[in-house]
Amino acid sequence: QVQLVESGGGLVQAGGSLRLSCVASGSIFSINAMGWYHQAPGKQRELVAVSISGGTTNYADSVKGRFTISRDNAKNTVYLQMNSLKAEDTGVYQCNADVTTVARSRYPVWGQGTQVTVSA
């Protein structure tokens, strides 16, 4: 079994910064990709950024130039540095990982989410 635990959310003024962290633990053989999703109030969850093994990263157009995703593979951790935050960035941020377990099962895992609130 694999778990993801996020941290780093909170309340910040518009224009400010936050750094989210997500740590994966459990019976991990490898992590193929890790990413962050955002669900704004009353809206569907959307992909914000993803880091794929090998170094490829992809971002939603709405966060390009403001957010940066990075990984520490030795710690099974992914970070999301969020700068120049806007009110529309408010919502729950969930971490997702595409994991292969030591038993060689492969499946997606979700964290519980962390709340980010940006005040105007």
Side-chain angles (χ1 to χ4, degrees):
Q1 190 172 1
V2 178
Q3 301 85 33
L4 300 180
V5 177
E6 301 107 330
S7 61
L11 173 65
V12 64
Q13 288 187 332
S17 298
L18 282 174
R19 188 192 194 206
L20 306 182
S21 300
C22 171
V23 181
S25 62
S27 303
I28 299 169
F29 174 74
S30 65
I31 300 179
N32 310 300
M34 296 187 83
W36 290 93
Y37 287 73
H38 171 226
Q39 185 165 22
K43 296 187 177 181
Q44 290 190 336
R45 184 170 58 193
E46 297 180 336
L47 177 66
V48 174
V50 62
S51 174
I52 302 170
S53 293
T56 301
T57 57
N58 289 305
Y59 296 90
D61 288 342
S62 59
V63 306
K64 284 180 180 176
R66 299 190 298 123
F67 292 9
T68 303
I69 189 169
S70 60
R71 283 172 65 176
D72 185 334
N73 293 324
K75 297 181 178 179
N76 288 335
T77 300
V78 66
Y79 304 97
L80 185 68
Q81 178 67 44
M82 305 187 295
N83 299 328
S84 303
L85 282 161
K86 305 176 181 179
E88 52 263 42
D89 296 321
T90 293
V92 175
Y93 285 76
Q94 272 187 291
C95 178
N96 170 270
D98 177 6
V99 174
T100 298
T101 68
V102 296
R104 299 304 191 267
S105 296
R106 180 173 178 174
Y107 53 83
V109 182
W110 290 91
Q112 81 286 355
T114 185
Q115 176 70 40
V116 171
T117 302
V118 183
S119 62

